[in-house]
Amino acid sequence: MFLTLATIAAAICAVSEIIFYHKKRTAGYIITSVLRNVLLTDTLTMFVFLHVLRCRHFLDCSMYKPNHYVKVFFVALGVGFLSQALYSFLTSRLRIEPDEPKHKKGAMVVRIVSTILFFLGCMAKTGTDWGRNEFGKVTGDQLIINLTSPTEGTEASVYYSGFEGPVFHSLLYTMLFALFVFVCFKLVCIFKNEKTRTVLNDLSKRIVCAVLAVFCLVQGVSYGIDKFKLETVFNAYVLKSDIIDKNYVDPRTAEIKWPEKKRNLIHIYLESMENSYMSKAEGGFMKDNLIPNLTKLAYTGTVFSNNGKYFGGPREGTGTQWSVASMVNQLTGLPMKAPGWINSYGADGKFLSGAYTLGELLEEQGYEQTCMIGASGTFGGLRYLYTTHGNWTFFDYNYAIEHKYIPENYKVWWGFEDDKLYEFAKKEITRLYETGKPFNFTMENADTHRPDGYVSPGKSTPFKLPYANAIWNSDKDVSKFIEWIQQQPFYENTTIVLIGDHLSMDTAFFRDAKFTKKYNRTQYNCIINPDPSVGKPDERVTRKRKWANWDYFPTIVASIGGQIEGERLGIGTNLFSGHPTIYEELGAKEVDKELEKGSVFYNERILQVSELDSAASKGIKTKKKHN
């Protein structure tokens, strides 16, 4: 609809030009005038909405009101008439004359190669800026995994943002570049005394364009390497480290003593939830506490902090800071690393097929298990993570449609909104409880996902920034859900684990909220009603800890009564135990540096991507020793 309105405005401009500017109206002139007006008006209107009016996702007209359509039309009309006036002024002062090159084939090769190099350079530069602005600090590993993993179910605004960012700008700049380099002309300046002078011929134009294209490519690629830290990709595929195999404790063979009466587990991943949303008095960065309920709730449980204050969280470790990676960390006790030579994350049965997870440990202990999300589980291969490891019911957007929880054509935000997620969760938890077996219910909410979050109609919006309102309402919703759990008959024997899946990627919010680089952002974390065997640990255990998401794997096992010999699973350490984590033992920077490197152990034993692993994979299926 946006482009339709802009094109109508461009057509009006073209008609006015044909009627009022020129008496000679040949078919060729009319076609040229219409095409030029449409191309310029549509392109420049999008540019104005992006960079002058600062409208994000203006191509998504689903939320438009009548005044928005009027605005688009009149802005496009104004842009069309202004560009038309500028074109007329320039053509009155400059004259373009034919200038054929001597060597046509060689000239054409230069034009084609220059345009391709220029486009690639533009994509590298604009793509890097878009990725950094949209997702924050993205590492090389994350970039490789996300580019090679399934994207089905991605929220539409991500695609709009991608088009409005690198695609639109790269096509715009390349289109202008191509028009300049492909048309064989010389530019002649007309002086008042009717004298003329050639200011640019075709040969000099081609030389300038070739140099500009090479410069653009080199600058764009070097910029992307620096901002995305793509040297880590080199490290992952060229350098090798044995830090994982030296410190890995296989959950298959680890001695774990379970209580006779199994404890229920409710594990909630809170999308992009971090401690910075609290007030400065609580250790956050906001003037007003955006998560007062979660703050209050945390004081009733156990929080593991990286500083001397009550609130803190894990380090941004290698292979941890996006949703699927966070779940991998907490289910396996491992970082999520780029695959050795093929993508092992996008197929059923092949997602970390050599890992042994929390789901498999609890399946062995007789647990009923459900994972619930409001988006499509195909995104990032998440469904395959759970269906490959344990007896999970995987309840996602597709499951909700198939089982008629929502209509077939229903789509809100990433699938269905959190209001429905919590209602479905209550029904599913009740069902799990009524089986008479211990249960493990895992879920992730999504209303605080970037960009700007989602606020259901009718909810309060007390803040200027949309994302602040999404956080504020999510805090209320989570709190009400926890209150419901605490009122149920199974609560006394149930542990609740709350953790932000990763730091927020909504870079616009942190820019608008004027966050300083000195403030150390950390994920919210809290464990409520853990097994009495872990008690209430003192500050020596909960504060000034150097830990990562993978430490939550054995910590969760301990929170439901599992007693782990050696206190480690995967490379994670049970935080309740007070034993040093791998970060505390070896140094956080050194560990992250080593984890950036390739790992033969990880590729062959965990990913199982090597043909040479056939014998080794059989060797790890050792006798289980869980009591």
Side-chain angles (χ1 to χ4, degrees):
M1 181 58 75
F2 179 95
L3 291 176
T4 301
L5 291 170
T7 302
I8 293 171
I12 294 172
C13 292
V15 170
S16 71
E17 179 183 312
I18 293 167
I19 293 174
F20 298 109
Y21 280 79
H22 294 275
K23 294 180 180 179
K24 187 177 180 181
R25 302 177 187 124
T26 64
Y29 168 74
I30 292 173
I31 294 171
T32 302
S33 176
V34 171
L35 290 177
R36 173 168 41 80
N37 275 277
V38 169
L39 186 63
L40 283 173
T41 301
D42 286 7
T43 303
L44 291 176
T45 300
M46 286 191 284
F47 188 87
V48 167
F49 269 84
L50 268 175
H51 296 290
V52 179
L53 301 179
R54 302 286 183 181
C55 296
R56 299 183 69 192
H57 314 314
F58 58 86
L59 292 174
D60 181 6
C61 298
S62 60
M63 301 297 289
Y64 271 29
K65 296 179 180 178
N67 63 306
H68 291 130
Y69 296 109
V70 174
K71 181 179 180 180
V72 170
F73 176 76
F74 280 103
V75 168
L77 199 63
V79 167
F81 280 123
L82 283 174
S83 62
Q84 191 179 94
L86 180 61
Y87 174 78
S88 298
F89 173 77
L90 290 175
T91 54
S92 69
R93 293 290 183 268
L94 298 171
R95 187 167 69 217
I96 297 174
E97 297 180 355
D99 187 19
E100 290 294 328
K102 293 181 179 179
H103 306 287
K104 291 185 178 181
K105 289 185 178 180
M108 182 57 69
V109 171
V110 171
R111 290 187 177 101
I112 293 173
V113 172
S114 296
T115 302
I116 293 173
L117 295 181
F118 184 83
F119 175 75
L120 294 175
C122 286
M123 281 297 293
K125 175 63 168 65
T126 59
T128 299
D129 284 336
W130 174 75
R132 294 283 292 179
N133 290 332
E134 290 294 316
F135 304 108
K137 293 187 290 185
V138 178
T139 65
D141 263 10
Q142 181 179 353
L143 188 66
I144 295 296
I145 292 170
N146 288 345
L147 287 175
T148 57
S149 294
T151 58
E152 179 188 325
T154 305
E155 208 280 315
S157 63
V158 176
Y159 294 115
Y160 287 123
S161 175
F163 178 83
E164 293 164 9
V167 175
F168 167 70
H169 287 95
S170 295
L171 290 176
L172 171 63
Y173 302 148
T174 304
M175 178 188 70
L176 297 174
F177 181 87
L179 285 173
F180 184 70
V181 74
F182 271 93
V183 178
C184 299
F185 69 90
K186 62 181 177 180
L187 193 63
V188 178
C189 184
I190 306 171
F191 296 96
K192 290 183 178 179
N193 56 6
E194 298 300 321
K195 290 185 177 181
T196 61
R197 177 179 295 176
T198 300
V199 294
L200 185 72
N201 62 24
D202 190 69
L203 176 60
S204 59
K205 174 169 62 73
R206 277 182 278 125
I207 293 172
V208 169
C209 288
V211 172
L212 177 61
V214 172
F215 173 80
C216 181
L217 178 64
V218 171
Q219 194 273 341
V221 171
S222 59
Y223 182 73
I225 290 173
D226 175 60
K227 294 299 182 182
F228 281 136
K229 300 187 183 301
L230 293 183
E231 70 274 9
T232 60
V233 177
F234 174 85
N235 294 342
Y237 287 96
V238 177
L239 304 181
K240 301 298 178 185
S241 171
D242 59 1
I243 190 171
I244 294 180
D245 43 312
K246 281 187 174 180
N247 293 277
Y248 182 74
V249 174
D250 194 335
R252 292 176 178 83
T253 57
E255 291 281 0
I256 305 175
K257 185 176 181 180
W258 295 94
E260 185 175 342
K261 183 179 181 181
K262 303 300 187 296
R263 193 171 186 83
N264 304 315
L265 171 64
I266 298 178
H267 188 180
I268 305 175
Y269 293 92
L270 304 172
E271 173 62 50
S272 303
M273 189 60 65
E274 52 181 86
N275 295 309
S276 66
Y277 305 151
M278 298 178 188
S279 64
K280 292 183 179 180
E282 296 287 357
F285 195 80
M286 305 302 296
K287 179 181 178 182
D288 300 305
N289 192 346
L290 301 181
I291 52 170
N293 296 295
L294 285 173
T295 302
K296 183 178 178 181
L297 195 63
Y299 282 116
T300 68
T302 299
V303 174
F304 293 101
S305 174
N306 62 313
N307 54 53
K309 300 178 181 179
Y310 189 80
F311 290 103
R315 176 183 171 86
E316 294 180 80
T318 299
T320 67
Q321 285 300 305
W322 67 100
S323 296
V324 178
S326 183
M327 291 187 174
V328 166
N329 304 152
Q330 297 177 54
L331 282 169
T332 69
L334 287 164
M336 190 172 183
K337 294 176 63 62
W341 57 277
I342 58 172
N343 176 28
S344 300
Y345 299 118
D348 195 10
K350 294 183 179 181
F351 198 117
L352 296 173
S353 53
Y356 201 75
T357 70
L358 176 65
E360 287 158 305
L361 285 175
L362 298 188
E363 177 186 18
E364 185 184 334
Q365 296 301 313
Y367 277 69
E368 287 286 322
Q369 302 183 96
T370 294
C371 176
M372 180 180 289
I373 60 172
S376 169
T378 305
F379 180 77
L382 187 62
R383 174 187 293 111
Y384 307 134
L385 169 62
Y386 284 90
T387 56
T388 299
H389 301 282
N391 59 331
W392 294 88
T393 296
F394 192 80
F395 189 129
D396 67 345
Y397 172 69
N398 301 316
Y399 181 98
I401 291 177
E402 182 182 346
H403 291 80
K404 303 188 185 306
Y405 283 84
I406 55 177
E408 188 172 349
N409 60 348
Y410 189 88
K411 183 68 183 291
V412 172
W413 198 223
W414 283 73
F416 58 83
E417 67 276 36
D418 286 353
D419 288 344
K420 284 185 169 53
L421 181 76
Y422 293 122
E423 291 306 310
F424 298 159
K426 291 175 184 177
K427 294 179 181 179
E428 181 63 13
I429 291 173
T430 301
R431 184 193 71 80
L432 290 170
Y433 168 62
E434 289 175 350
T435 65
K437 300 178 182 179
F439 65 82
N440 170 22
F441 178 80
T442 296
M443 66 178 286
E444 180 174 26
N445 62 13
D447 281 0
T448 46
H449 202 287
R450 58 151 303 277
D452 295 333
Y454 175 81
V455 177
S456 296
K459 290 191 174 181
S460 62
T461 55
F463 302 102
K464 180 180 179 180
L465 298 177
Y467 196 57
N469 290 318
I471 296 165
W472 173 262
N473 283 286
S474 182
D475 170 76
K476 288 183 179 180
D477 295 339
V478 174
S479 176
K480 289 179 181 177
F481 182 59
I482 299 300
E483 287 178 4
W484 175 85
I485 294 171
Q486 292 174 329
Q487 294 167 1
Q488 303 310 303
F490 54 75
Y491 173 66
E492 184 179 351
N493 191 46
T494 300
T495 297
I496 303 174
V497 175
L498 299 170
I499 186 167
D501 60 343
H502 52 73
L503 297 182
S504 174
M505 298 177 184
D506 199 303
T507 55
F509 171 74
F510 295 97
R511 183 172 58 249
D512 294 341
K514 299 179 181 179
F515 273 65
T516 64
K517 292 183 179 180
K518 293 182 179 179
Y519 180 80
N520 184 25
R521 293 162 55 195
T522 54
Q523 296 161 232
Y524 175 92
N525 73 97
C526 177
I527 298 178
I528 301 169
N529 198 33
D531 188 83
S533 62
V534 300
K536 181 70 175 176
D538 60 31
E539 294 181 5
R540 290 174 297 178
V541 172
T542 60
R543 300 191 186 185
K544 294 184 179 181
R545 301 299 303 272
K546 294 179 182 178
W547 64 286
N549 287 337
W550 53 67
D551 292 307
Y552 241 36
F553 176 23
T555 303
I556 290 171
V557 170
S559 76
I560 56 175
Q563 297 179 21
I564 308 163
E565 184 177 333
E567 306 295 356
R568 179 169 286 175
L569 296 174
I571 63 169
T573 301
N574 171 20
L575 297 172
F576 282 110
S577 70
H579 285 217
T581 66
I582 188 173
Y583 275 160
E584 291 166 338
E585 278 185 358
L586 305 177
K589 290 184 179 179
E590 182 63 25
V591 170
D592 282 335
K593 183 179 178 181
E594 289 298 306
L595 290 177
E596 287 178 359
K597 300 176 183 177
S599 169
V600 174
F601 175 88
Y602 193 93
N603 289 338
E604 296 188 355
R605 289 281 297 273
I606 306 301
L607 288 172
Q608 294 190 345
V609 296
S610 173
E611 293 291 332
L612 300 175
D613 184 57
S614 57
S617 62
K618 295 177 183 178
I620 61 174
K621 296 178 181 178
T622 54
K623 184 179 179 180
K624 298 178 178 62
K625 298 180 180 179
H626 307 306
N627 297 321

